Amino acid sequence: MGQTIAEKILSAHSGTEARAGDLVVAEIDYLMAGDAKGPKALDIFREANLPFRLDPKKTDIIIDHFVPAFDVRWANDHVKLREFASERGVNLFDAGSGVCHTIVTEEGRVGPGDLAVGGDSHVCTYGALNTMAVAVESGETASVFATGKLWFKVPQTIRAEFEGILPEGNLPEGVFAKDLALYLAEEIGLNGANYRAIEYGGPALAALSVESRFTIANMAVDSGAKTGIMEADTKTTEWARAAGREGTPVSPDPDAVYERVIHLDVSSLEPAIAAPPTTDNVFAVGEFTGLPVHQVYVGTCTNGRLEDIEIVARILRSRKIAPGVRFYIAPASRRIQEAAERSGAIRVLNEAGAILLPPSCGPCASMTGNGLVGDGERVLTTANRNFPGRLGSKKAEIYLGSPATAAASAIAGQIADPREILAETAGAAR
Amino acid sequence: MILSGKAFRFGDNVSTDVHLSVKYRSPDTTLQVLMRDAFKDIDPAFSASVRQGDVVVAGENFGLVSSRADAAVVLRELGISCVLARSFGHMFYRNAINMGLPVIECDTDSISAGDKVEVDPETGAIQTGGGEIRFAPYPPSLLKIIAAGGLIPFIQKEGGYPS
Ligand code: SF4
């Protein structure tokens, strides 16, 4: 009986033949500790007086949520994280480096076949690199510092096949990885992947860039999944080699056992919107066009990459953000910001009236405290969650869409279908 | 380690909001208050009638949604010796073991409220009035975590997982 990618990665790291349902103890290749849950992990680690036995090269401390720190509490947490990093010889990505998950994937901290854990829900993003990454609680982080290992229940796997790519290898006009991620979230349902791994493959996935694949893997956890893992191909291995961690790609066996196989035909998709209150509440954008928006945000570990900023710049070029709309944009890393400066995208954004934020989580969750919205406001964001209160007021409405949909809506001052404006810009010099 | 007690029976999709109700909760709510209010909405008599060793038995998705470790601690402190369910919420399952509360995935359909239940995590057997239910036994390292009272006490005591 064949194995899924998750079963194979957990087998290789536990020295057992891991099957869904088994409990195993596995070696950890990488641990990400951030400023949201990291400080509590350090407290537990210190109070329990545990030894630090993890190879310091296998972990990073990353400050990204509370940037710039707006409360003494966060500032003190940052002090604690910096001290820990220097005491233990652990690498620190300080404020302004970017969003943790983007940094980890850009800096070659994880690669194909790796088993990673981290103190943040969206570590599953690394799955685009064929890494199995699982979110852990603060006590588990402390335990990994002390042992370099962690116990796992081997998950069952839901297989998602992306099919129906257009002849030239493109998605339909106006449709991007975010739209695919939202339609898949709808198909799986809010907790439909509880305690499961999602394994992604298929020709339409192969046609996507690695950057786009991060967007899809990122949202695995928003269907309740423990992890999301993609098959590796030459794009994956090239990315991993360039980033500096080649790893060992892991493929599923042809007779791997899946709990469920989902076929998503991308050829007939339209730009998508996830309406409040949940990420699986997904509709074609046409259902909402015309609804006024007050704030638009492009960024986050879901959609703050260069590709995303470039499509926004293409749409904003020679246009202006509508009056009454605050358009925030936060590149997901300093590298991305620099690349967007070089390409001229940043200048286009500024001229259009966008508000550029430092590489960080930005207005993604209200815990980060910036870019909050008030009662009765409506937000369109490229982030991954839209439950009421995620951005401040519980009386605000949060809609999710692709960067193109976000940019088109920012210009229109209302939720807009990006296809018209993209057609206008087609052929125009970038 | 044999765990035995009386079964408290619940259905499917009992979220951590139900057995650890946020409605009654402020940031400084004590563990005692959380214990008193456990399962208040679906079984108001629960916290008064639960005895050391008793077993919570549920259907699908027990402990869905929240990642609050308190949800497992409250049950452990009330004396619950283990939770049996057809399936668990991901974070609840992890938190429970990490807090020293055994959670076991098995077919719970034949267990009724008030049944006497005996669970052996080492052999993977549950004895009930109606017969035996089997489950995948815990591996030795996980048994040690449970016996030590949780993940951190386990590392303090054993120094780490056996290699
Ligand atoms: S960008 Fe948002 S979802 Fe991603 S790590 Fe930061 S707060 Fe979490």
Side-chain angles (χ1 to χ4, degrees):
Chain A
M1 195 171 64
Q3 288 182 301
T4 64
I5 299 179
E7 287 172 330
K8 283 192 174 179
I9 291 180
L10 286 174
S11 296
H13 288 75
S14 67
T16 65
E17 199 186 292
R19 298 282 173 184
D22 290 354
L23 293 164
V24 299
V25 175
E27 290 278 346
I28 302 300
D29 293 311
Y30 178 74
L31 163 67
M32 194 289 292
D35 62 345
K37 287 187 175 169
K40 184 164 171 223
L42 301 193
D43 289 345
I44 294 171
F45 180 77
R46 286 219 171 97
E47 274 159 32
N49 203 13
L50 300 178
F52 189 89
R53 293 215 200 85
L54 180 69
D55 176 353
K57 289 198 276 305
K58 290 186 171 179
T59 183
D60 294 305
I61 304 274
I62 305 183
I63 292 178
D64 62 348
H65 280 64
F66 307 99
V67 173
F70 64 94
D71 185 301
V72 176
R73 193 178 135 206
W74 313 129
N76 284 335
D77 274 352
H78 291 171
V79 169
K80 191 186 290 180
L81 291 167
R82 291 185 189 109
E83 281 174 1
F84 181 85
S86 82
E87 268 166 35
R88 302 294 175 182
V90 170
N91 190 31
L92 170 79
F93 290 100
D94 212 326
S97 307
V99 181
C100 53
H101 309 308
T102 308
I103 292 173
V104 168
T105 49
E106 269 179 354
E107 299 287 333
R109 306 299 287 141
V110 295
D114 280 349
L115 177 63
V117 293
D120 188 274
S121 312
H122 290 96
V123 290
C124 54
T125 311
Y126 318 160
L129 295 179
N130 190 242
T131 302
M132 177 167 177
V134 180
V136 293
E137 285 300 306
S138 300
E140 296 177 302
T141 295
S143 82
V144 174
F145 283 142
T147 65
K149 298 180 186 174
L150 191 61
W151 69 270
F152 292 88
K153 180 157 161 283
V154 183
Q156 290 185 307
T157 296
I158 296 173
R159 170 89 185 177
E161 285 286 332
F162 291 95
E163 292 161 356
I165 194 69
L166 300 180
E168 326 80 68
N170 293 327
L171 294 175
E173 180 70 358
V175 173
F176 299 87
K178 179 54 158 278
D179 303 298
L180 269 50
L182 292 179
Y183 286 117
L184 183 63
E186 179 191 30
E187 181 64 37
I188 295 177
L190 194 59
N191 278 300
N194 173 46
Y195 229 132
R196 315 287 197 272
I198 304 174
E199 185 181 288
Y200 311 83
L205 186 75
L208 298 180
S209 68
V210 173
E211 280 195 308
S212 286
R213 296 176 193 178
F214 286 125
T215 301
I216 294 173
N218 174 269
M219 291 196 66
V221 69
D222 299 299
S223 299
K226 180 190 182 94
T227 189
I229 318 173
M230 294 185 179
E231 288 198 51
D233 59 12
T234 50
K235 289 181 191 168
T236 323
T237 48
E238 272 164 29
W239 174 289
R241 190 174 310 125
R245 186 162 175 95
E246 279 191 52
T248 313
V250 174
S251 311
D253 288 324
D255 58 343
V257 178
Y258 298 106
E259 185 193 45
R260 181 181 168 198
V261 181
I262 293 169
H263 296 270
L264 196 79
D265 182 348
V266 306
S267 64
S268 57
L269 296 181
E270 296 187 64
I273 288 281
T278 51
T279 41
D280 62 343
N281 193 25
V282 176
F283 302 87
V285 65
E287 295 284 326
F288 297 104
T289 45
L291 271 188
V293 291
H294 307 92
Q295 180 166 311
V296 177
Y297 177 43
V298 173
T300 81
C301 55
T302 321
N303 276 115
R305 294 187 182 262
L306 185 61
E307 212 173 72
D308 302 320
I309 295 171
E310 296 271 307
I311 190 77
V312 169
R314 185 176 137 199
I315 290 172
L316 292 191
R317 181 176 292 276
S318 310
R319 295 186 176 83
K320 290 277 180 215
I321 307 298
V325 176
R326 308 176 293 278
F327 184 47
Y328 292 113
I329 184 155
S333 75
R334 191 185 296 279
R335 276 198 199 199
I336 292 169
Q337 184 179 31
E338 285 166 0
E341 265 160 18
R342 280 195 302 275
S343 77
I346 298 282
R347 191 170 39 79
V348 172
L349 302 178
N350 270 323
E351 283 170 3
I355 304 165
L356 196 68
L357 298 175
S360 65
C361 293
C364 176
S366 61
M367 65 188 295
T368 66
N370 54 35
L372 299 186
V373 291
D375 297 353
E377 292 201 293
R378 190 174 293 113
V379 186
L380 181 59
T381 165
T382 64
N384 42 39
R385 289 183 171 166
N386 61 346
F387 55 82
R390 172 87 173 164
L391 283 175
S393 170
K394 284 201 168 136
K395 292 184 195 144
E397 291 179 3
I398 307 172
Y399 292 75
L400 308 179
S402 75
T405 302
S409 303
I411 291 168
Q414 53 191 25
I415 293 181
D417 188 327
R419 283 175 291 194
E420 207 170 298
I421 211 161
L422 282 168
E424 281 172 32
T425 61
R430 290 261 298 278
Chain B
M1 147 176 50
I2 302 285
L3 312 165
S4 80
K6 188 165 61 90
F8 282 83
R9 192 72 175 84
F10 299 105
D12 292 343
N13 299 316
V14 175
S15 79
T16 48
D17 285 345
V18 170
H19 75 269
L20 184 81
S21 180
V22 282
K23 260 193 299 187
Y24 313 108
R25 197 173 194 219
S26 79
D28 40 29
T29 304
T30 61
L31 192 60
Q32 274 64 36
V33 172
L34 293 175
M35 286 161 64
R36 186 197 66 201
D37 291 342
F39 297 112
K40 194 170 177 171
D41 288 350
I42 53 173
D43 182 0
F46 179 80
S47 64
S49 49
V50 67
R51 296 284 169 268
Q52 189 66 39
D54 284 351
V55 175
V56 165
V57 182
E60 302 285 356
N61 290 327
F62 184 84
L64 203 63
V65 186
S66 164
S67 68
R68 291 192 301 267
D70 289 0
V73 175
V74 159
L75 297 183
R76 187 190 71 193
E77 292 303 305
L78 279 167
I80 294 295
S81 66
C82 69
V83 183
L84 311 177
R86 293 186 69 93
S87 63
F88 289 91
H90 168 203
M91 288 319 298
F92 178 80
Y93 186 92
R94 295 201 64 83
N95 286 333
I97 290 178
N98 291 336
M99 294 295 150
L101 174 70
V103 278
I104 290 163
E105 250 184 18
C106 59
D107 181 352
T108 55
D109 288 359
S110 63
I111 308 176
S112 310
D115 285 359
K116 184 159 185 320
V117 181
E118 268 187 20
V119 182
D120 186 343
E122 267 167 80
T123 61
I126 301 169
Q127 310 300 334
T128 69
E132 188 180 78
I133 301 166
R134 303 292 309 180
F135 61 94
Y138 274 66
S141 46
L142 271 283
L143 285 171
K144 283 189 176 151
I145 294 177
I146 302 280
L151 181 61
I152 300 293
F154 157 74
I155 297 167
Q156 287 176 312
K157 200 161 146 236
E158 308 267 340
Y161 303 92
S163 46

